[in-house]
Amino acid sequence: MENPPQPGTNRPAWDAEATHPEACAKLREALREIIDPEIGLNVIQLGLIRNVRIEPDQVMIRMILTTPFCPYGPALIEMTRQKAEQTLGLPTFIELGMEMWDFSMMEEGIDLGWGLY
């Protein structure tokens, strides 16, 4: 189930933001380094990270892809997992969410100039 957006934004609230705000801020910045090579934006800008849970012994990330058959999907998922492990120092598992990505999930203020929305 998708988390509701944070007030005043279209970004979903991560479960871990309530319990580990500093770790979430650190993770968000680290994940900005993971770029979708087809679109040229990072996984945070695209809104692909739908939820993060930080448990004592692991991190759970729910992530979606821009398309069901994204050719870079496996690489993006693995890079996200590795970056989270490096950043937080905990084993990280990625759950692939099934909700469909759309432009409204992107960070505010990003204009791709595609004329599609």
Side-chain angles (χ1 to χ4, degrees):
M1 179 139 177
E2 184 172 337
N3 288 0
Q6 290 188 335
T9 179
N10 61 355
R11 185 173 63 77
W14 296 349
D15 291 346
E17 287 175 316
T19 57
H20 299 83
E22 295 88 16
C24 283
K26 189 175 171 183
L27 179 62
R28 187 177 313 282
E29 286 310 306
L31 293 180
R32 289 184 183 280
E33 297 175 18
I34 310 298
I35 307 292
D36 181 316
E38 283 189 309
I39 299 174
L41 296 174
N42 66 58
V43 296
I44 297 296
Q45 289 173 310
L46 289 168
L48 301 182
I49 308 303
R50 307 310 292 168
N51 197 7
V52 175
R53 287 189 333 267
I54 300 174
E55 299 172 1
D57 59 346
Q58 67 183 3
V59 176
M60 301 294 295
I61 296 176
R62 188 162 50 79
M63 179 177 182
I64 61 172
L65 300 174
T66 55
T67 63
F69 301 104
C70 173
Y72 295 102
L76 287 171
I77 291 167
E78 181 59 17
M79 287 187 292
T80 298
R81 186 192 66 72
Q82 288 179 8
K83 182 61 75 174
E85 284 187 354
Q86 291 168 2
T87 303
L88 300 178
L90 289 170
T92 299
F93 301 91
I94 306 289
E95 172 192 355
L96 189 58
M98 292 295 113
E99 64 261 34
M100 295 298 296
W101 178 86
D102 68 52
F103 291 103
S104 72
M105 294 176 174
M106 293 173 58
E107 279 188 327
E108 293 84 4
I110 296 176
D111 179 12
L112 297 176
W114 291 345
L116 298 175
Y117 59 101

